[in-house]
């Protein structure tokens, strides 16, 4: 089972979020288990097929450029032209990082999750080359038109260092090894409809969860902002202002199909069951 | 008036686009005027408020990270925390570049326009600082919650070198001076409805333009894929396969309000007027 961090969000600096101050919980939340930074990073990397690569020019200057990628055990597989500036840069200096932004779910861009994967590129050989080629093609259908052109090179970015930012005030770092050992969340990418259903039809239950399980007995209303294999993220209107909390399921789930039974169980617990 | 390049697209390498080969025009197109690389870059930079910054770590490694920005005469204005890795990097080494991707209009991500703006950052002083602060706030509303925090620094990226990629096979480089002197296109961001109208109600006229003005007398059908102040981009079904052409207006236009009269004039020319 993947490593799980518990407890509140990691904060690097004063929260510049929606409110000048966020009221703290009045009682200890019951279970704030959430995905590890490595899992969050794997989930973001799996959520799209485009990112921005940072490479070094011949003068050692930093060069940002748009790329597509597939994933091989979490390591990005790039297919770039040797005639393009980033292709020349990689051939000259293998150091690289890629920034990947999760598809936006909120109007404020800095509320989106994003990750930087840093390391160095290598051109894969033999069976790994076949697997890398397949991984790129699976993610980038249009690459079939150019992947075998002589001026294109397939590169695997060997991730050594990972920086994950989950939005305002949630962030952490991890190693390439932890990142590769983690798995992308099986629930998050498929939870949109279920989350919308919770908000549309079970707002009272969400508020009850926030009051008894989430540490905010003064909750007036609660909105679910996301679900993953470990629990639900809630945004709260409380008598003291806007707040956020986390409601972990009693046990992690493995697919979105288990989300209904997990939330029913949480509802039962929230009502003193 | 901004500098205008004419002639066909700039190609760096074999086109890896939708078809193995693209049929050339059978006759010389009448007017293929289009925005310069500097104008294309300014238009892309003005189309959003997020990009990816490349900076150098303390070890000189390339570091890619998501940022928001405003624009001051085209130069990106960043507001980043000194506690974040990219903030520490900029304080240590001012060299930076930013990659900006235009909002996607097609399912193939590599068909999107994007630009890299490279140079170095400076913390603006005095009146320029006020203008830079205003520019950032105008583009990034949520920055009002943190722009005055002591751990955030306002940086202006002094653009020295620009690389624009307009999609498959269209690309060019320009200088920071040309980029700053150019203006963002006044038509492109507002042309969506007009382009949809042309395709829905005037497909025959577009095909006639392609046949007599666009160099493809064997056009079977034509779709407008974009409009700017200088003309229309068309994608063609021809008897020889998929092709692309450019139809310049007789004179550049200054707003989307002039698009109708410009296309009526083109329709008249296309029918031998």
């Amino acid at each position: 089972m993947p490593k799980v961090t518990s407890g509140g969000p990691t904060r690097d600096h004063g929260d510049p979020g929606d409110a000048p101050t966020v009221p703290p919980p009045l009682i200890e939340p019951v279970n704030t288990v959430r995905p590890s930074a490595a899992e969050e990073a794997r989930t973001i990397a799996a959520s799209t097929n485009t990112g921005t690569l940072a490479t070094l020019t011949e003068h050692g200057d930093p060069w940002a450029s748009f790329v597509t990628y597939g994933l091989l055990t979490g390591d990005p597989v790039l297919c770039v032209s040797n005639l393009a500036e980033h292709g020349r840069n990689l051939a000259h200096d293998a150091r690289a990082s890629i920034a990947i932004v999760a598809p936006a779910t909120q109007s404020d861009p800095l509320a989106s999750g994003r990750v930087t994967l840093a390391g160095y590129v290598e051109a894969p050989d033999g069976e790994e080359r076949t697997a890398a080629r397949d991984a790129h093609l699976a993610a980038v259908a249009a690459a079939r038109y150019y992947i075998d052109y002589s001026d294109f090179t397939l590169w695997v970015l060997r991730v050594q260092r990972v920086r994950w930012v989950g939005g305002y005030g949630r962030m952490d770092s991890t190693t390439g090894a932890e990142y590769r050992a983690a798995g992308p969340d099986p629930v998050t990418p498929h939870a949109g409809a279920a989350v919308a259903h919770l908000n549309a039809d079970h707002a009272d239950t969400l508020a009850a969860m926030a009051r008894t399980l989430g540490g905010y007995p003064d909750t007036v209303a609660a909105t679910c902002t996301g679900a993953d294999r470990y629990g639900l993220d809630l945004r709260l209107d409380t008598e003291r202002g806007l707040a956020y909390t986390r409601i972990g399921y009693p046990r992690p789930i493995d697919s979105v199909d288990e989300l209904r039974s997990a939330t029913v169980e949480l509802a039962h617990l929230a009502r003193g069951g």
Side-chain angles (χ1 to χ4, degrees), chain A residues 27-91:
Chain A
I27 55 176
E28 187 74 11
V30 169
N31 176 8
T32 59
V33 60
R34 57 168 65 251
S36 67
E39 289 178 307
E40 296 272 17
R42 283 292 299 262
T43 302
I44 291 170
S47 71
T48 179
N49 64 353
T50 62
T52 296
L53 193 70
T55 54
L56 297 173
T57 70
E58 58 180 333
H59 304 295
D61 295 340
W63 185 256
S65 59
F66 181 68
V67 290
T68 53
Y69 66 88
L71 291 173
L72 190 64
T73 322
D75 282 346
V77 178
L78 314 174
C79 176
V80 302
S81 170
N82 307 331
L83 301 170
E85 181 140 356
H86 52 204
R88 297 196 307 269
N89 290 349
L90 291 174

Side-chain angles (χ1 to χ4, degrees), chain A residues 89-170:
Chain A
N89 290 349
L90 291 174
H92 174 260
D93 190 320
R95 288 178 289 174
S97 65
I98 186 171
I100 300 166
V101 183
T105 56
Q106 297 176 64
S107 61
D108 178 356
L110 291 182
S112 289
R114 64 265 191 191
V115 67
T116 298
L117 310 174
Y120 59 92
V121 295
E122 284 185 338
D125 276 335
E127 284 181 16
E128 194 192 24
R129 186 178 195 288
T130 304
R133 186 178 181 281
D134 290 349
H136 190 85
L137 287 171
V140 186
R144 68 186 184 278
Y145 293 119
Y146 53 82
I147 198 165
D148 295 319
Y149 278 27
S150 60
D151 63 314
F152 278 76
T153 298
L154 210 58
W155 298 103
V156 175
L157 174 55
R158 312 286 189 197
V159 177
Q160 297 183 296
R161 189 160 72 92
V162 174
R163 180 68 176 167
W164 160 72
V165 179
Y168 286 113
R170 291 185 61 220

Side-chain angles (χ1 to χ4, degrees), chain A residues 1 7 18 25 42 46 61 65 74 89 149-150 167 190 211 213-214 227 230 233 236 257 261 270:
Chain A
M1 195 178 127
D18 296 281
R42 283 292 299 262
D61 295 340
S65 59
N89 290 349
Y149 278 27
S150 60
H190 312 290
R211 287 186 204 108
L213 304 176
Y230 299 109
D233 287 315
L236 312 180
D257 299 335
S261 61

Side-chain angles (χ1 to χ4, degrees), chain A residues 199-225:
Chain A
N199 288 324
D201 297 341
H202 300 285
D204 288 352
T205 303
L206 294 174
M209 289 181 196
R211 287 186 204 108
T212 59
L213 304 176
Y216 286 87
D218 62 339
T219 296
V220 177
T223 302
C224 182
T225 59

